Amino acid sequence: MAALGTFSSIASVVLGRTLSDAVLLSARPAINVANFFIFSSLALMAVSLVYFQLLRIVSATKLNVSILFLSALGVVVFQGIHLESHTAILSYAIFLITAPALGNIIVWNAIGDAFNARQGRRLFHLVSAASTLGGIVAGCLIPALIRWIGMGTLPVADFISFVLMAIPVIVLRRYRRSEKTLYSVNSEVKRTLKDDFVCAVQDIVRSPLLKNLSIIFFLTALATNIIDFVLKYYLQTHYDQEGIAIFYGYFNAAFNTFNLLVQLTLLSQFLTRFKTRTLFALTPIILLVFSVPFVFTYSAIFII
């Protein structure tokens, strides 16, 4: 069940990102891609804060299943609406990014509640491999579905992914180590989103480990967003909606295949020879080094 959850959650992420970029980048006149990066990041942060706040007062299983089914319906309903204004298109694109990301959080939350640390260590490699396999399968399906039936099948496929995510969330409830439905009214419940955010920032400032991890994650996000921005700009100016979706399908299939091969062969040897912190430190450095040519390329294209 855990493997099904991670498989379907990453499949939904791939489908959501593909459909989001296809809708966003094919809009004419062109939408400012920078606005999408800003608003989607703010939306994901706000949704995550609200979600963890609701977990204090609502049954986790009921909340998670409700969110997944509402997200599934939202994908189909939004697609049925004729999107004309830039605001509507941008909102739909942000929803397609945010909903699968929250679904991924929900699945891992359910897995974390169902298994203890020892079971988690034993199952982690299998569950992680299943998530990568979900990206491969979704990436391979996208070009085939578009060529055989059309773009209209992608929202349906994403709908199915959300429904599949709900199955392990419901089943794993039986194995929860501590089912908490309603919290008693105390100071913890009365904390607001602002309090949570302030406490999180204070914890990061006080802890050297959290501070270093935050810097690494920031640099990693910066490098990936630079590359992603340049890629989106190129696709926006050279491909139509179907071409963008097909490109992302092949890209995600190839990337996740490479990722799976690394997980199965090189990662364990690398962690044994070096250390986890070395891997964390090298990731943003490698990404930033590779992002420099993209920045110069984009600048040259923009000037021309």
Side-chain angles (χ1 to χ4, degrees), residues 7 10 12 14 32 70-71 75 91 131 134 172 176 185 195 197 219 236 258 279 298 300:
F7 176 92
I10 297 302
S12 179
V14 170
N32 187 351
L70 287 174
S71 299
V75 171
S91 300
S131 68
L172 289 175
R176 282 175 65 90
V185 179
D195 295 332
F197 184 77
L219 292 175
Q236 189 177 44
F258 174 77
L279 179 63
Y298 172 74

Side-chain angles (χ1 to χ4, degrees), residues 21 23 26 30 37 44 65 87 90 111 117 129 137 141 146 152 161 164 195 206 220 229 233 240 263 271:
D21 282 352
V23 171
S26 63
F37 280 96
L44 183 56
V65 172
T87 302
L90 190 60
I111 293 172
V137 173
L141 278 177
I146 293 173
S161 296
L164 289 175
D195 295 332
R206 293 190 192 120
T220 303
F229 179 80
Y233 173 81
D240 60 5
Q263 287 180 19
L271 291 176

Side-chain angles (χ1 to χ4, degrees), residues 13 16 20 25 32 42 48 54-55 71 74 93 97 99 122 127 139 143 150 180 195 197 218 220 223 241 260 264 283:
V13 168
S20 172
L25 302 179
N32 187 351
L42 292 174
S48 300
L54 288 174
L55 278 177
S71 299
I97 290 291
R122 193 173 70 247
V127 174
K180 297 180 181 180
D195 295 332
F197 184 77
F218 173 79
T220 303
Q241 188 175 89
L260 182 62
L264 297 176
T283 300

Side-chain angles (χ1 to χ4, degrees), residues 113-131:
D113 285 340
F115 301 106
N116 57 36
R118 189 167 125 196
Q119 292 170 326
R121 281 195 297 271
R122 193 173 70 247
L123 296 173
F124 179 76
H125 295 294
L126 174 63
V127 174
S128 297
S131 68

Side-chain angles (χ1 to χ4, degrees), residues 134-291:
I136 296 172
V137 173
C140 292
L141 278 177
I142 288 170
L145 289 174
I146 293 173
R147 290 197 175 104
W148 291 345
I149 305 175
M151 284 289 297
T153 55
L154 296 190
V156 177
D158 205 10
F159 174 89
I160 294 172
S161 296
F162 277 110
V163 173
L164 289 175
M165 263 188 271
I167 295 174
V169 170
I170 295 172
V171 173
L172 289 175
R173 180 192 174 191
R174 292 188 231 164
Y175 306 99
R176 282 175 65 90
R177 286 172 289 132
S178 58
E179 176 67 31
K180 297 180 181 180
T181 53
L182 291 176
Y183 286 76
S184 59
V185 179
N186 52 31
S187 59
E188 183 70 15
V189 174
K190 293 179 181 178
R191 281 173 54 180
T192 63
L193 289 176
K194 180 181 177 182
D195 295 332
D196 286 340
F197 184 77
V198 171
C199 287
V201 172
Q202 289 175 345
D203 289 339
I204 292 173
V205 171
R206 293 190 192 120
S207 170
L209 174 62
L210 291 178
K211 195 184 300 181
N212 291 334
L213 286 175
S214 299
I215 294 172
I216 290 171
F217 291 151
F218 173 79
L219 292 175
T220 303
L222 177 64
T224 53
N225 280 331
I226 290 173
I227 297 172
D228 196 22
F229 179 80
V230 176
L231 179 61
K232 280 181 169 59
Y233 173 81
Y234 179 82
L235 293 173
Q236 189 177 44
T237 54
H238 290 81
Y239 289 88
D240 60 5
Q241 188 175 89
E242 287 192 0
I244 293 169
I246 290 172
F247 168 82
Y248 273 114
Y250 287 131
F251 174 82
N252 280 291
F255 173 78
N256 283 289
T257 300
F258 174 77
N259 190 15
L260 182 62
L261 291 174
V262 171
Q263 287 180 19
L264 297 176
T265 56
L266 299 178
L267 185 59
S268 59
Q269 296 179 11
F270 185 90
L271 291 176
T272 302
R273 184 169 183 179
F274 299 97
K275 293 181 179 178
T276 305
R277 64 183 180 184
T278 306
L279 179 63
F280 275 124
L282 283 177
T283 300
I285 294 173
I286 293 172
L287 287 172
L288 285 170
V289 168
F290 279 101
S291 67

